[in-house]
Amino acid sequence: MRILVISDIHANYTALEAVLNDAGTVDETWCLGDIVGYGPDPNATVELVREIPNLTCILGNHDVAVTGQIPLDVFNGEARRTLEYHEKVLTADNMDYLRSLPSNLMVLGEASIVHGSPRDSVWEYILNTLSARLNFDHFTTPWCFVGHSHLQCMFQLDTQTDRVHLTPIRAGEHVILRPRVILNPGSVGQPRDRDPRAAYAIYDTESYVWEPRRAAYNISEVQKRIREAGLPEKHAIRIAEGW
Ligand code: ZN
């Protein structure tokens, strides 16, 4: 099966649309959370996600917050301002859809999927080899796909030496997976690795190939909508610069 793996869409409808077009035909789509937060299009983005066939979707910290399951004041001022806006404009139906989704780690065949980390599904960022190493003890599958950091990367555990290596992987490379790895497809709507193109990955369940990919989209159109909605200027600037 050819699986589209997406994460951290962050209410960026245009970026998600570009990814869905760029990915081509897939058998299933796995979404690792943070559909809302930061961007200008919470309803359109949730609705586009809901239309994706054969979708498995878990919630991220921004989704959990907007549905009232954690207080908004755990976020910094600018992120919170956008979440307050999303809370106000999201339709009851879209809110109910978000509330219906799980936020805990799920096992799908040989992969575990989670937003933050296996030991702290909503909040922990896996940014270095130490946190990756600790998290290898918290899932049992050969690989785990995580989001949250918005960085396209791979942590490989060498089971002989018990050491973890952080491998930067770039769009266009085909990585053949071998046990055990933690992979991040990057962020669709707000990449943070200085490449502003929407990030995602294709996972092949038979050949065990992980293919990180990027899709260009019309960033200035999204910036315009961020400004029209009166959302923080920082969120408009960062999507053009990739941070
Ligand atoms: Zn996020």
Side-chain angles (χ1 to χ4, degrees), residues 8 10 34 38 61-62 115 148 150 192:
D8 299 276
H10 285 300
D34 274 2
Y38 297 123
N61 50 319
H62 288 253
H115 181 66
H148 197 37
H150 299 205
R192 294 182 187 162

Side-chain angles (χ1 to χ4, degrees), residues 78-243:
E78 283 152 324
R80 189 171 65 235
R81 231 171 89 199
T82 306
L83 284 170
E84 283 162 357
Y85 171 75
H86 287 186
E87 200 178 31
K88 206 168 67 194
V89 301
L90 272 167
T91 65
D93 198 38
N94 287 334
M95 207 55 122
D96 284 346
Y97 173 74
L98 292 177
R99 281 201 194 96
S100 74
L101 299 173
S103 60
N104 48 332
L105 179 140
M106 286 179 77
V107 174
L108 302 165
E110 273 136 325
S112 298
I113 65 168
V114 71
H115 181 66
S117 77
R119 64 175 182 172
D120 182 356
S121 62
V122 172
W123 283 104
E124 188 185 21
Y125 292 90
I126 303 183
L127 290 167
N128 54 51
T129 53
L130 174 63
S131 60
R133 177 64 198 89
L134 295 169
N135 273 289
F136 275 108
D137 295 336
H138 293 263
F139 67 98
T140 52
T141 51
W143 21 91
C144 180
F145 306 155
V146 303
H148 197 37
S149 73
H150 299 205
L151 300 170
Q152 222 166 32
C153 64
M154 173 170 78
F155 293 93
Q156 173 95 47
L157 174 67
D158 183 332
T159 43
Q160 307 275 301
T161 60
D162 199 38
R163 290 185 72 92
V164 174
H165 302 277
L166 169 57
T167 315
I169 40 172
R170 287 181 188 81
E173 286 177 30
H174 286 221
V175 181
I176 296 169
L177 302 181
R178 52 191 175 83
R180 297 179 73 222
V181 282
I182 295 173
L183 289 142
N184 191 319
S187 165
V188 170
Q190 194 197 76
R192 294 182 187 162
D193 54 4
R194 297 279 166 191
D195 180 347
R197 293 175 301 164
Y200 69 100
I202 299 287
Y203 163 53
D204 190 306
T205 59
E206 278 117 53
S207 59
Y208 297 148
V209 168
W210 175 266
E211 189 190 342
R213 296 175 69 156
R214 301 305 274 243
Y217 70 96
N218 191 334
I219 292 170
S220 55
E221 214 175 70
V222 181
Q223 290 180 306
K224 195 168 153 245
R225 292 200 299 276
I226 288 176
R227 290 173 181 135
E228 280 167 2
L231 299 175
E233 177 63 15
K234 181 180 165 186
H235 299 162
I237 295 166
R238 65 190 303 179
I239 58 165
E241 297 177 356
W243 54 273

